[in-house]
Amino acid sequence: MDRLIKQYIIICETTSQMLNTDGLLKSKGIRTELMPTPGEYGSICTTAIAFAAEDKRNATKILKDEGIAESLEIFPYQSRKLAGLMNRLKDQIISSGFQQVMEKIENGEELTKEEIVLLLKCESKSEKAALFQAADQMRKEIIGDTVEIRGAIEFSNYCKKKCNYCGIRNGCATPKRYRMTVKEVMERVYELHELGIKTVILQSGEDEYYTPEILIDMIRRIKKETKMGITLSIGERSYETYRALREAGANNFLLKIETTNPQIFNVIHPDDDFDTRMECSRWLKELGYANGSGNMIGLPGQTEEDIAEDILFFKKMRIHMIGIGPFIPAKGTPFENYETGSVDLTLKAVAVTRLVCKNVYLPATTALASIDPDGQTKALKSGANTIMLISTPDKYRINYQIYSNKNMVDLSSALKSVAESGRQLPEYLKIHSKEVV
Ligand code: SAM
Ligand code: SF4
């Protein structure tokens, strides 16, 4: 039996225990990898340590010698299979190539780039239905039917950068600039907390007005007064700043790679650098953040091959939360006349990401909701499991138009998508869907 197990995972009780244990094993020559905790062993918001099966004896000895083995749990880990998938798809008319890929998914085998491309390029109604069905099954088996609801506060639309696609880029005349005070942020945090929401996302442009000290004050107050999980989405900062924010209590960090094609990355980011973005992503992982990334679908020159590379990157980096949204042109930007990304391709990318990365948070993005009124419901049926409520005060949100006609996903539209997709609200939410839908 043991010969079939490729990896073991260590589940730790706290992040500091996880980081210390990982450091200890590495220092003794054990090759480890950090990964989102598989759903069956704990919350996928937390991080597990994976190592190769042949190192089991050594690793166990090291942990025993240090006297920490008793406080940890070690489990065999095999890639998730999707039992009964082919049987469920037997009435669908699918090509033999597509069928072979589905068989590999059923058997828990890793997909190659070519196979991912094949899935992303599927066009027939029945193959797309089969893909979404498989992703939905994977989501159900790993995460269950509950949709995680998080609240996003867009606390500043000032930005020093000029990303060509973004409606709040530096120099863009359209938005009226605003900055929220810590007090204003806290007022929204209390409201989310009252609603029972467990995680708040603090998002902004790259705005250095918010010094590490101001951000630390914000994080500490949220932690002290609500104990909520905190996701930061504030762009690129120094290693020291990321570390200080993590130590202050920030749990997750969302920094999207946007595209793993360095040429496209450089075209869309005139004042940013692909290697720097990669380095920031690595730092965040190293510092023990639950690491968020993602991409845009429909960027100029982007192909299905590029999207397949993005998905393999998310897997390799063991990303916890992956935001996949269509590119949407924003008024007043160099890309304002470019074509909007396709809903169909975005949904396929969400589904394939679920099948490849498995135990991750996949939001039904606001961008999808902005170009298709049923976009979030469709995403929830294609592997997604999270919705972010836009919780920015009304007087400011109108100026956080990162793209034109941005949907202001609120509680009632989120509840509608949850109900329409036949899913459940989390027990922590202090509201019943019937009250709103
Ligand atoms: N400034 C931070 C950063 O860039 O990571 C956080 C805020 S930024 C507005 C958050 C995300 O908005 C980006 O990662 C990008 O994917 C998305 N975004 C910006 N402009 C967009 C557009 N025109 N279409 C779709 N998504 C867009
Ligand atoms: Fe600034 Fe982020 Fe927009 Fe780029 S995507 S211009 S960094 S807010």
Side-chain angles (χ1 to χ4, degrees):
M1 158 78 180
D2 249 19
R3 268 185 296 131
L4 295 174
I5 297 165
K6 283 194 186 146
Q7 277 188 316
Y8 279 83
I9 53 167
I10 303 175
I11 307 292
C12 304
E13 272 175 15
T14 61
T15 309
S16 60
Q17 190 186 37
M18 179 271 294
L19 289 172
N20 290 340
T21 307
D22 184 51
L24 169 70
L25 291 174
K26 280 199 171 96
S27 72
K28 304 276 182 188
I30 305 281
R31 280 183 49 197
T32 61
E33 243 185 313
L34 299 182
M35 67 190 289
T37 301
E40 57 271 42
Y41 299 121
S43 163
I44 60 173
C45 246
T46 59
T47 301
I49 305 165
F51 60 89
E54 62 261 28
D55 289 331
K56 167 95 184 311
R57 189 187 294 229
N58 253 345
T60 314
K61 184 171 180 314
I62 294 165
L63 301 175
K64 273 196 183 140
D65 289 350
E66 287 293 317
I68 55 173
E70 303 249 305
S71 59
L72 304 166
E73 294 188 283
I74 303 184
F75 298 101
Y77 178 68
Q78 275 183 290
S79 187
R80 169 71 71 147
K81 298 183 178 183
L82 218 45
L85 175 64
M86 296 316 293
N87 199 30
R88 279 191 197 88
L89 301 183
K90 69 179 185 309
D91 296 329
Q92 310 271 29
I93 306 158
I94 52 181
S95 67
S96 64
F98 189 92
Q99 184 166 337
Q100 278 167 20
V101 182
M102 288 290 139
E103 276 167 6
K104 283 186 79 172
I105 292 167
E106 182 176 74
N107 296 329
E109 293 172 43
E110 307 281 325
L111 300 190
T112 62
K113 179 178 168 186
E114 290 67 33
E115 288 161 345
I116 292 174
V117 171
L118 183 140
L119 295 182
L120 291 171
K121 284 187 173 170
C122 76
E123 280 304 333
S124 76
K125 215 171 156 192
S126 48
E127 287 186 354
K128 282 193 280 186
L131 173 62
F132 298 148
Q133 201 180 326
D136 199 42
Q137 188 189 337
M138 183 71 86
R139 182 272 310 152
K140 191 177 175 69
E141 289 192 13
I142 290 179
I143 295 176
D145 281 338
T146 305
V147 176
E148 168 89 3
I149 310 278
R150 298 181 167 187
I153 303 171
E154 298 145 338
F155 64 91
S156 163
N157 69 351
Y158 279 85
C159 189
K160 66 175 189 191
K161 294 242 171 94
K162 291 189 170 182
C163 307
N164 281 330
Y165 47 84
C166 181
I168 61 167
R169 70 197 290 269
N170 190 347
C172 188
T174 329
K176 196 165 157 238
R177 302 287 166 173
Y178 70 87
R179 287 186 174 117
M180 286 172 67
T181 61
V182 175
K183 185 166 172 280
E184 284 176 309
V185 170
M186 288 309 295
E187 279 162 14
R188 301 311 288 193
V189 169
Y190 298 139
E191 283 174 30
L192 292 169
H193 186 55
E194 282 279 292
L195 212 54
I197 289 191
K198 300 269 184 228
T199 304
V200 59
I201 298 156
L202 302 175
Q203 188 175 97
S204 68
E206 288 199 14
D207 183 5
E208 283 172 9
Y209 168 87
Y210 293 87
T211 57
E213 291 69 32
I214 297 179
L215 293 168
I216 286 170
D217 177 39
M218 212 187 281
I219 293 165
R220 288 210 178 123
R221 283 191 62 181
I222 295 173
K223 279 287 169 196
K224 186 160 170 250
E225 295 176 39
T226 70
K227 298 196 168 50
M228 287 170 86
I230 300 172
T231 300
L232 297 177
S233 173
I234 56 172
E236 294 173 0
R237 294 271 179 141
S238 69
Y239 183 85
E240 287 66 35
T241 301
Y242 285 154
R243 185 169 55 193
L245 302 178
R246 173 86 189 103
E247 282 168 1
N251 309 89
N252 319 323
F253 204 107
L254 177 61
L255 180 69
K256 289 167 69 169
I257 193 74
E258 315 295 359
T259 171
T260 50
N261 180 322
Q263 283 85 39
I264 299 178
F265 187 97
N266 291 335
V267 166
I268 66 177
H269 296 116
D271 50 8
D272 215 334
D273 172 62
F274 184 71
D275 294 336
T276 307
R277 182 65 57 103
M278 278 288 191
E279 185 168 45
C280 287
S281 302
R282 280 195 292 270
W283 287 343
L284 292 166
K285 191 173 149 75
E286 200 181 299
L287 287 165
Y289 282 98
N291 208 348
S293 188
N295 61 354
M296 273 182 280
I297 304 294
L299 291 171
Q302 184 190 47
T303 62
E304 280 86 352
E305 283 74 10
D306 294 321
I307 299 170
E309 288 289 357
D310 296 348
I311 295 172
L312 289 169
F313 164 80
F314 302 144
K315 183 174 169 58
K316 186 164 157 250
M317 287 286 285
R318 304 286 192 170
I319 300 290
H320 286 76
M321 182 168 83
I322 305 168
I324 300 173
F327 156 73
I328 306 173
K331 224 171 136 223
T333 65
F335 289 1
E336 71 176 324
N337 294 319
Y338 285 35
E339 227 177 279
T340 302
S342 136
V343 172
D344 211 40
L345 185 54
T346 306
L347 291 172
K348 286 191 273 182
V350 169
V352 179
T353 303
R354 170 64 68 203
L355 292 169
V356 171
C357 300
K358 301 186 173 76
N359 51 324
V360 288
Y361 277 105
L362 273 176
T365 53
T366 311
L368 250 182
S370 302
I371 57 168
D372 181 339
D374 298 325
Q376 287 198 304
T377 305
K378 289 177 184 169
L380 288 177
K381 289 179 171 177
S382 311
N385 72 307
T386 309
I387 291 184
M388 290 182 202
L389 305 179
I390 305 292
S391 307
T392 310
D394 290 349
K395 64 175 174 180
Y396 296 133
R397 60 173 64 188
I398 185 77
N399 287 307
Y400 202 84
Q401 290 277 335
I402 51 177
Y403 38 79
S404 301
N405 306 315
K406 178 164 160 246
N407 182 311
M408 298 305 168
V409 176
D410 60 8
L411 188 58
S412 95
S413 67
L415 297 183
K416 187 164 166 279
S417 303
V418 173
E420 281 172 1
S421 55
R423 302 278 281 286
Q424 285 164 12
L425 290 172
E427 274 175 18
Y428 57 71
L429 205 65
K430 293 177 192 146
I431 193 157
H432 198 280
S433 54
K434 274 188 281 183
E435 294 171 34
V436 184
V437 178

